[in-house]
Structure formats: C-alpha cells, structure tokens
Amino acid sequence: MIYLADIRNWLKGFNIADYYYSGKLDANKEKAVCVYQRKSTIEAVRAIGGKSSYNIKPISVLIHWNKNSTETEKTAYKLYEQLEAVSSFLLNDTKVYFIKLLQSEPVSVGTDDNGIYEYVIEFDIYYERK
C-alpha cells in the first residue's frame, strides 16, 4: 500500500519546495507542495480468477508558490519534467512500476485568496500489489 505521506516524502527528494504537505496545505506558507488523493473514476483493478498484481493510486499535486506567475509556472514545469523522467523505483518497500501523467503539462488553477499562484499536476502511480 502507498500512502499520501509516502508520496510527500518521496517528492521531498526532488528539492523543489521549502514546505511539503499531504492532505491539507498551510496556505500561509509560500513555496509549498501538497499531495492529495485525487477523486478518480478508475475502476478497481481485478484479475480474472484472483487478485491483480498491481494497483493504481490517483494523485494530485498542488504547487502553491508565490505572487510571481512566471516563477510559479517555471517551478511547476520543473517538477513536471522530473516526474516525467521517473522510471520504476521503490517507495518504502513497494515497487512502483511507473507514473502516468494525466495532462501534457502542469495546469494553472489561478491564485488563492492571498494572491499566491498555483498549479496542479495529476498522475496515477502504478504499483505492486502485495
């Protein structure tokens, strides 16, 4: 099983942000990344005659940066490109087969109530089911 905190901790290794969160963002902090479980329409993965060998974790990453739209966009693209380059790896003791990015680029979601620019990157993590 992969948990949001595992993904948050894994993203820290990309050295993008000053702050990392899972499930709830502290909107008072700039240069932050927050990991959410995306609401998904993915059906449960089932194999005929038994348990499937993999599962899918739907993820949404919010890049909550600063009041400079260009800096925020560049940061979002930097993280997107790093995620795009990822191949299989271990997350704790769980093998991740691959990451499927769902959009062709990070998506701007405008600004929050404090004028902080934000982008979202959505992806699915395909991992070994134990």
Side-chain angles (χ1 to χ4, degrees):
M1 178 63 102
I2 293 179
Y3 299 99
L4 291 180
D6 298 329
I7 298 164
R8 177 199 62 215
N9 293 337
W10 172 68
L11 287 174
K12 286 180 182 181
F14 291 101
N15 295 316
I16 293 287
D18 293 340
Y19 302 97
Y20 294 84
Y21 301 97
S22 55
K24 182 170 172 47
L25 173 75
D26 180 349
N28 295 317
K29 305 283 187 186
E30 291 187 6
K31 298 186 177 180
V33 167
C34 189
V35 179
Y36 298 94
Q37 182 155 338
R38 210 176 69 251
K39 291 179 180 150
S40 176
T41 57
I42 297 173
E43 292 183 26
V45 179
R46 301 281 182 245
I48 295 175
K51 191 164 90 169
S52 172
S53 62
Y54 72 95
N55 210 347
I56 302 168
K57 183 85 165 180
I59 296 297
S60 180
V61 175
L62 178 71
I63 296 94
H64 172 88
W65 212 247
N66 61 23
K67 293 183 179 184
N68 183 310
S69 63
T70 302
E71 283 182 27
T72 305
E73 184 175 18
K74 284 181 179 179
T75 300
Y77 270 92
K78 181 178 179 183
L79 178 57
Y80 185 93
E81 289 167 359
Q82 288 177 312
L83 290 170
E84 198 172 36
V86 168
S87 57
S88 65
F89 62 96
L90 284 177
L91 188 56
N92 292 336
D93 291 330
T94 302
K95 181 175 182 174
V96 173
Y97 296 115
F98 64 92
I99 293 172
K100 179 181 178 185
L101 292 159
L102 300 181
Q103 287 85 27
S104 60
E105 60 186 1
V107 177
S108 172
V109 290
T111 61
D112 71 359
D113 293 339
N114 299 318
I116 304 298
Y117 284 92
E118 298 177 323
Y119 274 76
V120 170
I121 299 172
E122 294 182 327
F123 55 91
D124 291 331
I125 296 178
Y126 288 72
Y127 66 95
E128 181 179 35
R129 182 181 216 151
K130 295 181 180 186

